[in-house]
Amino acid sequence: MESLLCKTDKDLMSILSLDKPFQARIIRDNLIKGVTSFDEMTSLPKALRERLSKERGSALTGRIIRKEEADSTVKIAVSFPDGAIIECVRLSDGTGRYTACLSSQVGCAMGCAFCKTGTMGLIRNLTAGEIVEEFILLSSLGERISHIVFMGMGEALHNFTASIDAAMELHRESGFDISFRKMTISTCGLVPGINKLTELDIPIRLAVSLVSADDDIRSDIMKVNRSYPLKELKDALLRFQHHQDRRLTLEYCMLSGINTDRKSAEQLASFVKGLDALVNLIPWNPIPELGFRTPAEEEIHQFEKDLKSLGINYTIRRSKGRSISGACGQLATEARKN
């Protein structure tokens, strides 16, 4: 069953066997308002509502099958008609601002050694409509969501067209009306995707999971670096920043004994040089089966001192939602690649 989001009126008429274009507009307008039951779309003829309810049940293809909450973080598991399951998260900054962390794929092909999603392999890409459905389902939990990060399961730039189409739909002024400046796409360093995003020239924010500025270490734990090493990545980021003239975020997952010594800090300082970038330090969120260790507080503080001495602009993120496996790198579902 195909999602009704990110569709033209003509598409909806064909998918739902509608007689008139205005019926498609009514359905789309209701979905944007969060109305997911055809029965509640009272501007439609009663007979049509009854037919659509009988044929499809909900106006969404995805349904929440599990909800967990901790530390003002809510994680939901969403099941689609083909049995695919993803997780997405609603985050709170504690000041009343809510952010939707959306998945772009079922699983992930990137295979980063420290990330639980990578253990799934890539099951399939999500469609643009399915990505937008995640936003609608997270919004149905009761708080107004003003920001979006494409940082959930999958590599958004590996599913480029669907991710961008979803961003366009969420941005549309007559729809969800979320500014591109309140959206962030995260990538593990997929250079062709960064280049395509640069050419697209929309003011969406970019975050890069760097983890290490040492090619050997990064290639060992992030397979993407074997295809697109640090020099190629930095060149792509310089081009992106030349077009956008906006600060980048470099996400630095801290792995005890691997990327937190003085040499690592110096290599990071060398990579950052010439970029307008904020380094976001993220102590690794525990995933027992992956074999890494979260740095102790003393190790974290020493690395911070090293970064300060080198003049690196950084912040440290204490991830919420660890207890429900809803923090950075912890999302995964039962599905596995065969």
Side-chain angles (χ1 to χ4, degrees):
M1 187 161 53
E2 195 172 356
S3 175
L4 304 181
L5 276 302
C6 300
K7 295 291 189 292
T8 65
D9 289 350
K10 186 176 180 180
D11 291 334
L12 290 178
M13 289 180 68
S14 174
I15 294 168
L16 299 175
S17 301
L18 303 176
D19 296 325
K20 307 239 182 329
F22 81 85
Q23 296 170 339
R25 288 194 294 274
I26 288 171
I27 292 170
R28 190 178 62 243
D29 290 345
N30 273 276
L31 283 171
I32 290 166
K33 294 172 185 174
V35 179
T36 60
S37 167
F38 290 113
D39 290 334
E40 295 176 14
M41 299 182 186
T42 53
S43 296
L44 292 174
K46 183 179 179 182
L48 177 58
R49 280 182 276 146
E50 290 176 347
R51 175 175 70 80
L52 293 177
S53 294
K54 183 178 180 180
E55 290 176 354
R56 294 182 66 99
S58 171
L60 298 184
T61 59
R63 61 186 181 91
I64 299 174
I65 59 171
R66 186 173 64 253
K67 174 185 170 185
E68 300 172 80
E69 186 169 0
D71 307 322
S72 71
T73 299
V74 182
K75 181 180 76 169
I76 59 173
V78 178
S79 176
F80 293 102
D82 65 349
I85 300 171
I86 57 93
E87 292 182 332
C88 53
V89 181
R90 191 193 72 192
L91 306 164
S92 170
D93 67 355
T95 66
R97 189 179 86 175
Y98 292 89
T99 297
C101 178
L102 305 181
S103 294
S104 55
Q105 297 176 313
V106 186
C108 185
M110 299 297 105
C112 297
F114 53 88
C115 177
K116 190 171 182 178
T117 310
T119 66
M120 295 175 62
L122 178 63
I123 311 301
R124 72 168 174 87
N125 286 327
L126 293 176
T127 67
E130 289 170 335
I131 296 171
V132 176
E133 285 194 22
E134 293 178 60
F135 180 83
I136 292 173
L137 289 169
L138 287 170
S139 297
S140 74
L141 302 179
E143 303 291 349
R144 181 182 176 276
I145 295 173
S146 60
H147 290 66
I148 294 169
V149 293
F150 292 84
M151 294 183 181
M153 294 169 59
E155 162 65 53
L157 296 186
H158 190 222
N159 187 18
F160 187 90
T161 299
S163 297
I164 294 302
D165 285 352
M168 294 289 190
E169 178 73 4
L170 291 162
H171 171 71
R172 193 160 53 86
E173 191 173 353
S174 60
F176 298 97
D177 194 24
I178 296 177
S179 169
F180 283 131
R181 298 180 187 278
K182 294 182 178 180
M183 297 186 197
T184 301
I185 287 184
S186 178
T187 177
C188 65
L190 210 56
V191 167
I194 295 170
N195 291 338
K196 287 168 71 175
L197 193 61
T198 300
E199 292 168 8
L200 198 59
D201 202 22
I202 57 175
I204 200 163
R205 294 181 178 274
L206 180 64
V208 179
S209 181
L210 187 65
V211 184
S212 175
D214 180 294
D215 267 316
D216 290 337
I217 293 174
R218 195 167 192 268
S219 292
D220 189 44
I221 58 179
M222 299 181 73
K223 292 191 295 185
V224 68
N225 200 73
R226 302 169 198 171
S227 299
Y228 309 107
L230 288 165
K231 185 182 183 307
E232 289 186 39
L233 174 59
K234 184 168 181 178
D235 287 344
L237 296 180
L238 287 167
R239 286 191 295 272
F240 179 85
Q241 198 150 59
H242 176 73
H243 277 258
Q244 293 290 354
D245 192 27
R246 301 190 71 204
R247 176 169 287 180
L248 300 163
T249 300
L250 299 177
E251 297 166 324
Y252 197 92
C253 179
M254 302 176 72
L255 304 167
S256 182
I258 294 176
N259 63 352
T260 56
D261 58 5
R262 177 72 187 191
K263 182 181 178 182
S264 295
E266 291 170 350
Q267 291 171 320
L268 179 56
S270 177
F271 185 86
V272 169
K273 188 176 182 180
L275 293 170
D276 179 10
L278 173 68
V279 176
N280 192 3
L281 302 178
I282 309 169
W284 184 66
N285 294 305
I287 304 161
E289 64 267 33
L290 297 188
F292 294 97
R293 290 185 295 115
T294 304
E297 288 301 315
E298 183 180 347
E299 188 176 351
I300 293 170
H301 292 327
Q302 182 57 53
F303 193 64
E304 286 187 82
K305 287 180 183 178
D306 290 337
L307 297 186
K308 280 181 183 177
S309 71
L310 293 164
I312 295 178
N313 187 19
Y314 77 93
T315 187
I316 186 161
R317 187 169 85 205
R318 302 289 184 177
S319 297
K320 295 181 178 181
R322 278 185 176 183
S323 63
I324 55 171
S325 295
C328 182
Q330 292 185 314
L331 300 185
T333 57
E334 296 80 8
R336 294 289 187 274
K337 185 176 179 180
N338 293 326

